[in-house]
Amino acid sequence: MSQDTTIKKVQSEHSPMGDMGQKYLVAGKRLSMRLWENVPRGEADPPHRRDYETVGYALAGRARLELEGQEIVLRPGDCWLVPAGAAHRYRVEEDFTAIEATSPPAEFHEDGDIR
């Protein structure tokens, strides 16, 4: 059985953008990474659910994460987890920058959709 030894390097300025402003960075077979950079202040979208688990790390700004009746404020240095299938939404209160990893990978499609 051969082992996958592929190395991937992605420069974020060349990364595809999703329809919500996220940059898709690098993706493997079991996880992917994306960057939310300088997301402007704004009202939250209606709660939604995803088929993947998300972990995040806040780099700058402030956002509020509402998840299944719970609410937390995200500030630089904070980490969070959104379980797969959990109803959640984000409200940006101060221009927000964060990195997230998803498993299985959240994939970019040419129509800007996330699957």
Side-chain angles (χ1 to χ4, degrees):
M1 182 164 135
S2 67
Q3 188 173 10
D4 186 358
T5 58
T6 305
I7 294 175
K8 293 182 182 180
K9 177 183 175 181
V10 175
Q11 292 181 317
S12 64
E13 62 266 17
H14 302 296
S15 294
M17 298 278 292
D19 61 351
M20 295 182 293
Q22 71 277 32
K23 285 185 182 179
Y24 289 90
L25 300 176
V26 68
K29 293 177 183 175
R30 293 186 199 102
L31 67 105
S32 64
M33 184 183 292
R34 60 189 177 189
L35 172 66
W36 299 87
E37 194 169 32
N38 298 317
V39 177
R41 181 181 179 166
E43 286 303 311
D45 291 333
H48 56 275
R49 298 175 191 273
R50 301 285 189 219
D51 292 335
Y52 50 80
E53 179 176 62
T54 303
V55 293
Y57 181 79
L59 296 167
R62 186 176 70 241
R64 191 168 300 270
L65 168 60
E66 298 171 20
L67 182 118
E68 296 287 350
Q70 304 171 71
E71 188 173 281
I72 59 171
V73 175
L74 304 171
R75 293 186 175 92
D78 289 344
C79 304
W80 66 94
L81 165 71
V82 176
H88 67 284
R89 66 183 182 170
Y90 298 88
R91 183 174 62 242
V92 175
E93 297 178 338
E94 182 181 303
D95 289 2
F96 191 63
T97 298
I99 293 180
E100 290 183 328
T102 64
S103 179
E107 298 177 348
F108 174 79
H109 295 269
E110 291 302 319
D111 60 6
D113 195 20
I114 304 168
R115 297 183 197 121

